[in-house]
Amino acid sequence: MFVDFNYEPILEDFYSDGSLKIEAILKILENAGNRHSDLAGDQILEKSFNGTAWILTDWYVDIEKNPKYGEKILAKTWSQGPTGAFTTSREFELYSSGTKVARGTTNWVLFDLEKGRPAKVTEDIVKKYGPEKVSVFDNPKLPKIEIPESFEKEITLLPRRNDIDFNHHVHNLVYVDYAMEVLPEEIFQNHDFKKIRITYKNAVKEGEELTVKYAKTGSDAEVSHTVCIYDREGNLKTLVELS
């Protein structure tokens, strides 16, 4: 089942030059996936109330061109079905005025909130989504984010109340905001990121103090910016790589 999701951007979705923020791109793709779940009869909020939840473990988005203010935005999404007993993946394409400008994929785990462990993805759940064995990337294995040996900058953050979602965790897209906060000013002001890679290790809950660390990584030919987010005890929570 391929699902189309039309989105009407608002002013806060754009940088000052009129191009769509990467945070907005991720938001659009996320909401396209939510639309698919609703159409499949697998409503996210209802599932959470019943004690299970889809937990996002990975993002990988490749942006060819950021849409501009005034262009018509459409996201297309579909599920590839199970990638393991407890996991599944979802693919995305983003179009701007009819031209494909970005593609992405996500990995998910079905989680039993009461037992605190993964739950099996049953055949009934799979059928609801009408899997399509189509991948936006030639290599289905996502690139690994390497933890830098040292960091150039770090800040301390305390999640705000509004950062917490219905699962009582920091919402997955908020980690990109945290990454933006720690970037050196010249990187933040002049960035033109085309690839976004996120790996979620452990959920952050309300009241957890975070240390957000930044390092410039990659090579001269392809520079990357890696952000690692830790809790007060030094446990790694999330890795974000922008390039």
Side-chain angles (χ1 to χ4, degrees):
M1 181 194 303
F2 295 99
V3 174
D4 289 349
F5 176 73
N6 291 290
Y7 181 75
E8 294 288 342
I10 54 180
L11 283 175
E12 67 185 42
D13 291 332
F14 295 93
Y15 296 117
S16 59
D17 66 355
S19 60
L20 197 65
K21 293 180 179 179
I22 61 170
E23 298 94 325
I25 290 175
L26 292 177
K27 179 177 69 173
I28 293 166
L29 301 184
E30 178 187 63
N31 281 287
N34 291 343
R35 173 67 59 82
H36 188 185
S37 293
D38 289 344
L39 293 174
D42 190 36
Q43 285 85 0
I44 302 299
L45 282 175
E46 180 179 328
K47 181 179 287 291
S48 178
F49 295 151
N50 291 332
T52 59
W54 287 107
I55 303 298
L56 180 62
T57 63
D58 292 277
W59 269 106
Y60 183 41
V61 177
D62 185 6
I63 303 168
E64 184 175 337
K65 174 181 174 293
N66 289 58
K68 293 290 187 178
Y69 183 79
E71 296 179 349
K72 295 185 180 298
I73 306 299
L74 179 141
K76 184 184 293 289
T77 188
W78 62 95
S79 171
Q80 287 203 82
T83 55
F86 311 108
T87 59
T88 186
S89 67
R90 171 177 294 284
E91 306 293 290
F92 300 95
E93 291 177 342
L94 185 70
Y95 292 81
S96 179
S97 294
T99 299
K100 186 167 67 175
V101 295
R103 55 183 177 162
T105 188
T106 49
N107 289 334
W108 301 80
V109 172
L110 186 61
F111 203 76
D112 188 316
L113 298 174
E114 295 178 358
K115 296 180 180 178
R117 64 188 185 193
K120 186 176 181 180
V121 180
T122 65
E123 188 62 31
D124 287 343
I125 294 175
V126 174
K127 286 181 179 179
K128 287 181 178 181
Y129 283 90
E132 304 285 351
K133 295 300 181 182
V134 179
S135 177
V136 297
F137 296 112
D138 294 334
N139 186 355
K141 187 176 181 179
L142 299 183
K144 184 180 179 181
I145 304 177
E146 299 291 345
I147 300 175
E149 294 182 1
S150 61
F151 295 91
E152 303 170 31
K153 182 182 177 183
E154 68 176 63
I155 60 174
T156 300
L157 287 176
L158 187 66
R160 302 164 301 176
R161 290 176 178 173
N162 280 343
D163 293 344
I164 307 300
D165 64 15
F166 58 89
N167 281 325
H168 309 293
H169 301 151
V170 168
H171 187 64
N172 71 82
L173 299 187
V174 175
Y175 294 96
V176 179
D177 294 338
Y178 295 167
M180 290 296 181
E181 285 297 313
V182 78
L183 292 179
E185 186 64 22
E186 67 274 14
I187 302 298
F188 175 75
Q189 293 296 340
N190 300 309
H191 74 262
D192 185 24
F193 302 129
K194 295 304 181 186
K195 292 182 181 179
I196 308 162
R197 178 77 176 90
I198 308 173
T199 293
Y200 303 94
K201 295 290 188 179
N202 293 286
V204 174
K205 298 180 180 179
E206 187 174 5
E208 287 192 89
E209 185 178 281
L210 302 175
T211 300
V212 185
K213 300 183 178 184
Y214 162 81
K216 185 178 179 180
T217 53
S219 63
D220 291 339
E222 188 172 356
V223 174
S224 298
H225 304 276
T226 301
V227 175
C228 296
I229 301 174
Y230 298 88
D231 66 11
R232 184 180 301 166
E233 287 72 38
N235 299 306
L236 181 60
K237 294 290 189 174
T238 302
L239 299 99
V240 180
E241 186 176 78
L242 305 165
S243 59

